[in-house]
Amino acid sequence: MSVETSVNTNLSADVAMISDLIRKAREAQRNYARYSQVQVDEVVTAAGWAIMHPAHNRLLAEMAVRDTGLGNVADKIQKNYRKTLGLLRDLKHAKTVGIIAEYPERGLVEIARPVGVVAAITPSTNPAATPANKIINALKGRNAVIVAPSPKGLSTCAALVAYIHAELAKVGAPLDLVQYLPGPITKQATQELMRQADLVVATGSQNNIRSAYASGSPAFGVGAGNVASIIDTSASLGEAAQQIASSKTFDNATSCSSENSVVILDSVYDSALAALTEAGGVLLNSEEKHHLQETMWPRGKLDSAVTAQSAPSIASLAGLTRPSVTQAKFLMVEEVGTGPDYPYSGEKLSPVLTVYRARNFDHACEIVNDIYGYLGAGHSVGIHTSDDGHILRLGNELPVCRVIVNQAHCFATGGSFENGLPFSLSMGCGTWGGNNLSENMNYRNFLNITRIVRRIPERVPSEEELFGEYLRKYG
């Protein structure tokens, strides 16, 4: 058999397999579309309990770490729990069936409608939490969903869907509302799923995001992370250091929202470094920094061997033997430049924190802007300060969709019980990050909205109202 014949045979098999999944999903979704809001919310609760059940949660976390080699069990348990709990809180009183809004003064009524069959593309970094989040949001909108896991995340996804099916059976909902691609997971099968689905929601590598946008189906994708945080002169240094440390080390920095760089103003630089050291960080010397760089980017590309590993494991791989380094919670390196020649200025997906020294706040903004000019534009920036003017300046000037103020970044960006952002594991990065949304992906992204439009009393503006001031000023 020729290579061409083999490729065509595999492609035909993928098309047939995906078509069968889509057919079953559509049949289940047509049934589900008739559910009342009460019934839908019961289905959503069932899917949420499937991952929040303590025994399920632990097993999913253990499988995720065992099969992907990324992160740690304790933090994945916490992530699965808190992200799902927060999402269910967000959805509890949200209307997604029938009339969801009325504007009598405008003559408009909004009715929620399903989008149909959702293709959920999910990463290996969060093989349970991210699929669960997308499944629950999709179900809230009376949709069916087919998950395309990463190859390493397949086993975790299969177990999650099995738990969800058991809960759906309890409430009498169609099991084919939630399906996943069977192994082996291939790019061809994932692309075919995206092509046949009604909506694609993609999280993961930028290759996945570009494929989603190129699939021919409507798609929501997210941008690359490379978060920087500023420690301002008015920051509470001890609190800022503890928040950065907890964010940087959580699940071995699998989150795209973990700080990759911290920009410290000169007048508090030494004190802030001391606080970060007290919080568990160790600053590498120039020789250690060089050895670590060769280990992390051996051929100019971030090596997967260091991704989401603990700081001591990374130090061991790099041959770093200083006792404080081998026991560190996270490693710190000082840097002065940005871009391809300065790989520490990019996303590291590991407990390695790049430290920049800024002369003043203007310089701090320049450094962050340069970092995002290289990688991470659109995502978010952190700031530790009591200066509202500095906070607003970041929101007005930097290419970011979120400014996280005095919070642990990876916990705050995706929604927190201490802020008002929707709980999500998929953060839109706007046009800066090549995305068509700038908010946290949420249930409204999984809805079509039909508008009933009634006549209202006519009001036609006069030319004076529209042009009077302009003409008086410019003639």
Side-chain angles (χ1 to χ4, degrees):
M1 180 183 293
S2 68
V3 173
E4 182 178 355
T5 302
S6 177
V7 170
N8 289 336
T9 300
N10 290 338
L11 180 60
S12 297
D14 286 339
V15 170
M17 181 265 290
I18 298 299
S19 296
D20 188 54
L21 293 178
I22 293 285
R23 177 189 58 77
K24 293 188 291 186
R26 292 202 189 288
E27 184 177 339
Q29 193 274 324
R30 281 193 292 271
N31 182 358
Y32 188 44
R34 296 191 290 268
Y35 274 37
S36 68
Q37 186 72 71
V38 171
Q39 290 174 303
V40 167
D41 289 345
E42 188 173 61
V43 169
V44 166
T45 303
W49 179 243
I51 185 172
M52 286 190 61
H53 185 294
H56 299 172
N57 188 354
R58 171 166 289 279
L59 182 59
L60 291 169
E62 290 172 347
M63 291 179 69
V65 173
R66 181 194 71 204
D67 295 344
T68 68
L70 306 175
N72 64 77
V73 172
D75 288 347
K76 287 201 182 295
I77 289 173
Q78 183 180 349
K79 185 183 296 184
N80 292 345
Y81 179 86
R82 286 181 63 84
K83 287 294 186 181
T84 308
L85 184 71
L87 175 61
L88 293 174
R89 181 207 65 177
D90 291 347
L91 298 183
K92 186 168 179 62
H93 300 294
K95 292 182 178 180
T96 57
V97 178
I99 295 173
I100 59 173
E102 297 184 75
Y103 307 99
E105 73 283 359
R106 297 165 61 196
L108 298 178
V109 174
E110 292 184 347
I111 299 174
R113 306 284 297 280
V115 299
V117 177
V118 176
I121 316 304
T122 61
S124 58
T125 48
N126 297 305
T130 300
N133 187 278
K134 292 184 177 183
I135 288 168
I136 292 169
N137 273 318
L139 291 175
K140 181 70 176 182
R142 290 181 293 165
N143 304 296
V145 57
I146 302 172
V147 181
S150 68
K152 290 183 178 180
L154 173 59
S155 58
T156 307
C157 179
L160 171 65
V161 172
Y163 290 142
I164 290 174
H165 281 176
E167 299 301 322
L168 293 182
K170 292 179 184 178
V171 300
L175 304 190
D176 288 335
L177 285 175
V178 182
Q179 301 177 77
Y180 65 93
L181 287 186
I185 303 298
T186 65
K187 290 182 180 179
Q188 291 76 15
T190 300
Q191 289 170 348
E192 182 60 26
L193 172 63
M194 292 191 289
R195 190 187 70 80
Q196 292 196 36
D198 298 306
L199 175 70
V200 180
V201 288
T203 306
S205 73
Q206 289 306 291
N207 285 335
N208 280 346
I209 305 306
R210 285 188 286 270
S211 293
Y213 284 139
S215 67
S217 299
F220 288 112
V222 298
N226 188 29
V227 168
S229 279
I230 296 172
I231 299 181
D232 202 358
T233 54
S234 60
S236 173
L237 298 183
E239 184 177 349
Q242 288 295 334
Q243 289 173 341
I244 291 169
S246 64
S247 175
K248 187 59 186 169
T249 59
F250 185 75
D251 203 22
N252 294 344
T254 57
S255 172
C256 63
S257 299
S258 291
E259 291 87 344
N260 278 278
S261 300
V262 59
V263 181
I264 308 173
L265 270 70
D266 181 72
S267 62
V268 296
Y269 188 84
D270 292 337
S271 299
L273 264 185
L276 287 166
T277 301
E278 180 68 22
V282 173
L283 183 66
L284 302 186
N285 60 39
S286 58
E287 184 179 356
E288 291 168 332
K289 175 186 174 184
H290 174 72
H291 285 309
L292 180 60
Q293 180 171 322
E294 288 187 327
T295 299
M296 294 185 69
W297 296 275
R299 292 167 295 279
K301 183 179 180 182
L302 185 63
D303 194 328
S304 61
V306 302
T307 300
Q309 304 305 305
S310 68
S313 296
I314 294 171
S316 177
L317 286 171
L320 307 182
T321 58
R322 184 157 51 107
S324 59
V325 173
T326 61
Q327 298 171 28
K329 291 183 179 178
F330 61 100
L331 307 176
M332 297 185 290
V333 295
E334 291 180 300
E335 190 55 274
V336 294
T338 61
D341 293 333
Y342 300 88
Y344 283 113
S345 66
E347 187 175 32
K348 292 169 280 293
L349 289 173
S350 59
V352 177
L353 182 67
T354 308
V355 182
Y356 290 89
R357 188 172 195 147
R359 296 184 299 273
N360 50 40
F361 194 73
D362 286 345
H363 188 213
C365 291
E366 290 175 16
I367 292 171
V368 175
N369 206 41
D370 287 345
I371 291 171
Y372 292 162
Y374 171 46
L375 182 66
H379 197 288
S380 47
V381 66
I383 184 168
H384 298 271
T385 187
S386 60
D387 189 325
D388 284 343
H390 285 177
I391 295 167
L392 290 174
R393 184 172 168 186
L394 298 185
N396 281 310
E397 295 183 9
L398 288 183
V400 294
C401 294
R402 285 155 289 268
V403 178
I404 304 300
V405 181
N406 297 327
Q407 297 170 72
H409 208 283
C410 87
F411 303 128
T413 313
S416 166
F417 294 109
E418 297 178 340
N419 69 41
L421 290 174
F423 274 83
S424 179
L425 289 104
S426 305
M427 273 59 77
C429 296
T431 56
W432 296 301
N435 300 157
N436 56 352
L437 79 163
S438 57
E439 60 185 342
N440 288 10
M441 195 178 293
N442 63 86
Y443 77 96
R444 290 186 68 88
N445 302 127
F446 294 76
L447 292 175
N448 284 321
I449 296 179
T450 297
R451 291 167 179 85
I452 294 176
V453 185
R454 292 188 171 90
R455 291 181 62 180
I456 59 175
E458 182 182 69
R459 183 188 176 281
V460 180
S462 67
E463 291 187 9
E464 166 63 26
E465 183 181 348
L466 297 179
F467 300 109
E469 183 177 349
Y470 175 82
L471 293 175
R472 282 189 292 274
K473 185 175 181 179
Y474 295 105

